Amino acid sequence: MTGPDQTPHPDDASVGPRDDRRLDDAELRRIAATHPYPLVFATVSGAHLYGFASPDSDVDLRGAHLLPVADLVGLRSGPETVTATWDEAGLEVDLVTHDARKLCRLLLRPDGYVLEQLLSPLVVATTPEHAELVSYAPRLVTRRHAHHYRGFARGQWARYTADARVKPLLYTLRVLLTGIHLMRSGEVVADLVRLADLVDERPPYVAELLAVKPPGEQAAADDVVPAERLAADVAA
């Protein structure tokens, strides 16, 4: 699996608390292999993809699976979505995969979230079919994706204004910058660290917010930048 700071963590508990900012490739492949259906692909999404995972962050695995033909054409259909959350030796795993048919339906909608999962550089499992789907991605981007990112940002901003924590603010900025860059370039980039170098409108305090967030989910954003400036920057 490629991506920044993805060196394996030690499994020996004697070395101290587990730091889940570092993803263990072999462990994730083993987890993906337990899926009840053949996988088209599995990738890491969530905070690890967005560039601001905390030491205690769970791992969001997303992907697509293949149902047996009988579950597609019979009187009863198989599960279009498989969802599971569990603790794996101290690592909280959140797994969501869609049947390939459903995934294709979602990709034909202006839904950047699914595109980000398909194009995540943090690949746990892949197939030639995954590569083929990735090749279609540039033709799936439309101006309507701007509505997805704007709506997603509004929801995260509402969460931020309710409690002023850094986490929903980082999500707000990440979503807005991803949408801006996508509309300008057609490229899907979900990593806030990369986006800070790609989008001229990024606020100058992104690095400070990223430095505050990893030690704890409850960090307050107004310790870094005044609320009035945040509101003005987000609106802009």
Side-chain angles (χ1 to χ4, degrees):
M1 180 172 58
T2 58
D5 196 26
Q6 302 304 327
T7 54
H9 62 75
D11 291 324
D12 184 356
S14 64
V15 300
R18 176 173 183 149
D19 186 344
D20 288 321
R21 285 173 294 183
R22 297 180 174 88
L23 299 175
D24 186 325
D25 295 11
E27 181 179 29
L28 293 180
R29 286 194 294 268
R30 179 177 57 78
I31 291 171
T34 65
H35 198 284
Y37 298 100
L39 288 172
V40 178
F41 72 90
T43 60
V44 176
S45 186
H48 289 92
L49 174 62
Y50 306 151
F52 45 78
S54 297
D56 58 349
S57 289
D58 61 353
V59 174
D60 296 323
L61 290 179
R62 300 292 184 264
H65 61 269
L66 292 174
L67 289 173
V69 173
D71 286 348
L72 294 172
V73 300
L75 295 177
R76 295 182 179 179
S77 61
E80 283 197 316
T81 300
V82 172
T83 303
T85 302
W86 73 95
D87 184 279
E88 183 78 25
L91 175 67
E92 184 175 345
V93 179
D94 182 56
L95 170 71
V96 179
T97 66
H98 302 302
D99 168 59
R101 181 172 59 177
K102 179 178 180 179
L103 178 82
C104 290
R105 290 203 306 267
L106 295 174
L107 287 171
L108 292 173
R109 299 176 184 177
D111 187 337
Y113 187 55
V114 180
L115 269 178
E116 290 169 10
Q117 295 168 15
L118 174 67
L119 300 176
S120 171
L122 306 180
V123 179
V124 176
T126 188
T127 61
E129 291 75 21
H130 178 211
E132 184 175 359
L133 287 170
V134 168
S135 72
Y136 299 150
R139 287 176 283 171
L140 298 173
V141 176
T142 75
R143 287 178 293 179
R144 295 171 60 203
H145 280 86
H147 300 291
H148 162 83
Y149 283 104
R150 198 156 43 217
F152 193 177
R154 288 195 187 102
Q156 292 299 319
W157 180 247
R159 289 183 57 200
Y160 165 74
T161 56
D163 59 21
R165 291 185 300 117
V166 168
K167 182 177 179 179
L169 177 60
L170 287 174
Y171 270 84
T172 303
L173 296 175
R174 196 286 295 179
V175 169
L176 289 172
L177 296 181
T178 294
I180 291 171
H181 183 67
L182 179 64
M183 290 298 95
R184 289 177 177 169
S185 68
E187 180 188 23
V188 178
V189 177
D191 186 333
L192 184 55
V193 178
R194 284 191 61 202
L195 288 163
D197 294 328
L198 293 171
V199 182
D200 292 338
E201 292 85 347
R202 84 282 189 192
Y205 43 79
V206 168
E208 295 177 70
L209 292 172
L210 288 169
V212 169
K213 194 267 180 183
E217 300 290 343
Q218 305 303 321
D222 53 12
D223 291 340
V224 176
V225 59
E228 295 80 7
R229 180 174 181 183
L230 288 175
D233 288 345
V234 169

